[in-house]
Amino acid sequence: METKKGSFRQSLIHALEGVRDTFQSERNMKIHALSIVIVVILGVFLQISRSEWIACISLFGLVIGAEMLNTALEITVDIIISRRDPRAKRVKDTAAGAVLMVSLAAAVVGLIIFVPKLLALIA
């Protein structure tokens, strides 16, 4: 069994390069980032609880992670299959669907957390 050589620091650098590259190249990642900024501003303004912050931060990670996995799968399919193939489309659509499902769940949790607080401000 071959062992990989390299430091934790180098692995972290590569991972951060992947994050940076995805943020720079993927439009949806920019939309997710903007959504995170809005949620953080609202969270601070509305003084959400510790458990609500934990839910939001966990969902930030899940959405960003899902988007990055989707991007990695799309790139991989494009490298492996250069022609139109219904299986490639299925892989890409399924990965995009996974991001959609995580994003919808995050949006519902956001509504559960923020709508009552916003309604209380109006009333």
Side-chain angles (χ1 to χ4, degrees):
M1 180 180 209
E2 191 175 312
T3 60
K4 289 185 176 182
K5 292 188 178 184
S7 67
F8 172 76
R9 181 177 179 273
Q10 194 59 43
S11 296
L12 184 60
I13 289 169
H14 290 306
L16 290 172
E17 287 172 354
V19 172
R20 184 194 71 225
D21 178 64
T22 308
F23 270 98
Q24 289 176 343
S25 64
E26 296 298 317
R27 176 183 46 100
N28 287 343
M29 195 64 118
K30 293 175 179 113
I31 293 168
H32 295 313
L34 177 61
S35 298
I36 290 170
V37 169
I38 291 167
V39 168
V40 168
I41 290 168
L42 270 175
V44 170
F45 177 73
L46 296 172
Q47 298 178 338
I48 64 175
S49 71
R50 176 181 227 159
S51 59
E52 291 167 332
W53 275 117
I54 290 168
C56 289
I57 292 167
S58 297
L59 288 165
F60 296 163
L62 285 171
V63 170
I64 296 299
E67 187 65 52
M68 292 182 73
L69 286 171
N70 178 49
T71 300
L73 279 169
E74 286 183 352
I75 292 168
T76 302
V77 167
D78 289 344
I79 290 169
I80 294 171
I81 301 173
S82 59
R83 57 179 167 63
R84 287 182 90 65
D85 185 319
R87 295 171 300 170
K89 180 184 181 321
R90 187 171 176 207
V91 169
K92 290 181 172 189
D93 290 352
T94 301
V99 176
L100 176 63
M101 297 308 296
V102 173
S103 298
L104 287 174
V108 169
V109 170
L111 291 172
I112 291 168
I113 292 171
F114 290 106
V115 166
K117 295 178 185 321
L118 290 169
L119 289 175
L121 283 178
I122 296 169

